[in-house]
Amino acid sequence: GHMPDYLLSGIPLARLDALAFRDLGVMIDTSLSFSHHAQTIVSKARSVMAIILRSFVSKNPHVLFKAFKAYVRPIVEYGSPVWNVFGNEPKIAKSIERVQRYFTMRVFCRAGLKKLNYSRRLKFLGELSLSKRRKIADLCFIHAVLKNRQYCPAVALMPSNLSRPSTRLVTDAIPRGPRKNFLPNRVDQHWYKLPSRITALSAKAFRSNVGYM
């Protein structure tokens, strides 16, 4: 379809014939898809994982996973409330999860530990899956906006009535196309299920508690 012109001080910005564009570190293409971003961060994360596994001589899985958390996880989690839209694209979500799945497998092999499936490896390390962490990041961002620690006019609660305050986010009645992945549309059901005692917590306490729900 026709792409609208973008203006800066009334002057049309030149178009670039590119598959995707980077905005504040996040890649998005002309169809509002983040698949190129996912491919980019997975490729970069794999390269950094290979460096870690070559450079660290330790066989301690906890030590190695600290390196993963410091150098790899920021790559695959930066800005995730913006691009965490892969509920309808499970193949892409799996490709991102495979980054952590592969690393935990390698460190367990290096340590000579008993072979465990991915969920049990995470339990041994005391960690969460990347998909679970992105869900928590979504909820934490909503919490920050509603507590006026972040500004995002797209995030708001529905009007309250006299009997009780609203806990539902303003969403599309029937989201279609890219709007299905709009942050309030994909998070509303999860946010609505949170008890008021959790949503009333401070930022640090909220993150700690929501991870166990």
Side-chain angles (χ1 to χ4, degrees), residues 104-105 108 113-124:
T104 57
M105 181 189 69
F108 266 60
L113 295 172
K114 178 183 177 181
K115 289 185 178 181
L116 300 174
N117 62 30
Y118 180 48
S119 61
R120 294 181 68 185
R121 293 198 300 271
L122 290 179
K123 185 176 181 179
F124 176 89

Side-chain angles (χ1 to χ4, degrees), residues 32-57:
L32 302 181
S33 169
F34 294 97
S35 58
H36 186 82
H37 179 75
Q39 295 169 7
T40 300
I41 61 176
V42 166
S43 177
K44 185 175 181 180
R46 286 174 176 170
S47 298
V48 176
M49 280 196 306
I51 294 173
I52 292 174
L53 293 171
R54 288 198 306 267
S55 304
F56 284 75
V57 297

Side-chain angles (χ1 to χ4, degrees), residues 62 65 68 73 97 100-101 103-105 108 116-133:
H62 295 284
F65 203 79
F68 178 89
R73 232 164 40 185
E97 195 67 48
Q100 185 168 269
R101 181 188 297 270
F103 190 85
T104 57
M105 181 189 69
F108 266 60
L116 300 174
N117 62 30
Y118 180 48
S119 61
R120 294 181 68 185
R121 293 198 300 271
L122 290 179
K123 185 176 181 179
F124 176 89
L125 294 167
E127 300 292 339
L128 300 172
S129 68
L130 294 179
S131 60
K132 175 72 171 180
R133 287 178 56 83

Side-chain angles (χ1 to χ4, degrees), residues 50-100:
I51 294 173
I52 292 174
L53 293 171
R54 288 198 306 267
S55 304
F56 284 75
V57 297
S58 174
K59 294 183 179 182
N60 187 319
H62 295 284
V63 171
L64 291 168
F65 203 79
K66 282 184 178 180
F68 178 89
K69 292 193 290 184
Y71 299 110
V72 179
R73 232 164 40 185
I75 297 172
V76 295
E77 292 187 339
Y78 170 76
S80 66
V82 175
W83 55 262
N84 182 28
V85 298
F86 301 120
N88 297 320
E89 301 180 63
K91 288 185 178 180
I92 298 178
K94 287 181 180 179
S95 72
I96 299 173
E97 195 67 48
R98 202 173 292 125
V99 170
Q100 185 168 269

